[in-house]
Amino acid sequence: MFNIVIFGAPGSGKGTQSENLIANYGLFHISTGEVLRDHIARGTELGKVAESYISKGNLIPDDLMVSILADILDNTPEAKDGVIFDGFPRTINQAKALKAMLAERNAQVDAVVGLEVEEQELITRLLKRGEESGRSDDNMETIKQRLNVYHSQTQPLHDFYVEEGCYLGIKGMGTVESIFDDIKAAIKEKCGK
Ligand code: ATP
Ligand code: MG
């Protein structure tokens, strides 16, 4: 199993680069944001709960998010060779839970691809995506709260994964292709893949 966590602020390009990683390494993609948006679109009970947090720019509670993820890992045979975790973990508690979940499966997080993007660029990208895709959380007020939440709850994962020895910092500005070239080079150098 080769497991990658793609990490970065809202709008840092996690979804975009995940697509490149899937094509290149044949991994299974789990985007927690997409999983939640799918529940909202289908009007499930979970979707209703998720919407109340997402629309305010807040995180879904850890225990709920961790149980959703465990359920996907248990019920997706395609995930056994390796996964790209996109949008998860977002808190230290989630990172510890992921570590335990993978350890139970004799696996680990092999690489954390950290996309590093300047704040003004993030805001520009998210506002543009809001106009183009109509994603309801891509408006100025919610973006500000998502960035606050990122700095207070998610950014500490940077140090957590540096200590774990698997953090690959990648400058997430420039063309999609050049950023992906940097990601591939870093994975090859540090993980031999
Ligand atoms: P990007 O644009 O880089 O893909 P994003 O922050 O815009 O990132 P998603 O990852 O799609 O978007 O997440 C959207 C929302 O879903 C979050 O703001 C949060 O409310 C909720 N969410 C997604 N993943 C988690 C998680 N691991 N824990 C808690 N809430 C989550
Ligand atoms: Mg995304």
Side-chain angles (χ1 to χ4, degrees):
M1 224 186 164
F2 183 60
N3 295 300
I4 298 181
V5 167
I6 187 143
F7 174 76
S12 57
K14 299 187 291 284
T16 306
Q17 294 300 340
S18 290
E19 283 170 30
N20 285 331
L21 287 163
I22 298 158
N24 212 74
Y25 299 93
L27 302 170
F28 184 73
H29 185 208
I30 302 177
S31 159
T32 44
E34 275 171 29
V35 169
L36 297 170
R37 281 189 290 280
D38 179 59
H39 275 275
I40 294 172
R42 288 188 286 123
T44 67
E45 281 308 308
L46 171 59
K48 285 175 200 154
V49 175
E51 186 163 32
S52 67
Y53 292 95
I54 291 181
S55 62
K56 295 189 188 79
N58 293 323
L59 298 181
I60 271 71
D62 283 338
D63 49 352
L64 180 58
M65 202 64 242
V66 168
S67 71
I68 296 168
L69 202 90
D71 188 55
I72 298 174
L73 284 180
D74 287 337
N75 294 302
T76 315
E78 307 93 290
K80 73 175 191 326
D81 294 333
V83 173
I84 298 174
F85 296 94
D86 164 5
F88 184 95
R90 259 178 157 90
T91 65
I92 296 279
N93 278 336
Q94 290 181 13
K96 289 181 177 164
L98 179 62
K99 188 173 177 175
M101 260 189 273
L102 291 175
E104 276 172 25
R105 292 162 177 82
N106 294 317
Q108 60 182 350
V109 171
D110 297 291
V112 176
V113 172
L115 296 172
E116 298 169 353
V117 177
E118 285 162 21
E119 187 114 345
Q120 189 49 52
E121 169 77 9
L122 294 172
I123 295 171
T124 305
R125 289 183 190 177
L126 292 168
L127 288 173
K128 183 159 169 270
R129 185 172 71 186
E131 280 169 21
E132 287 166 359
S133 76
R135 229 177 92 168
S136 60
D137 58 345
D138 286 340
N139 62 73
M140 200 58 221
E141 199 188 334
T142 311
I143 290 169
K144 277 197 184 139
Q145 176 59 11
R146 284 157 67 203
L147 289 170
N148 286 338
V149 167
Y150 173 75
H151 289 303
S152 61
Q153 301 192 56
T154 307
Q155 183 90 65
L157 288 176
H158 168 273
D159 291 359
F160 177 90
Y161 281 122
V162 168
E163 266 175 44
E164 295 273 307
C166 55
Y167 183 82
L168 309 174
I170 305 287
K171 189 165 165 284
M173 320 251 300
T175 66
V176 171
E177 294 74 23
S178 70
I179 296 166
F180 188 56
D181 286 343
D182 291 347
I183 294 175
K184 274 189 298 191
I187 290 177
K188 193 162 186 190
E189 191 196 322
K190 294 277 180 62
C191 315
K193 294 257 176 182

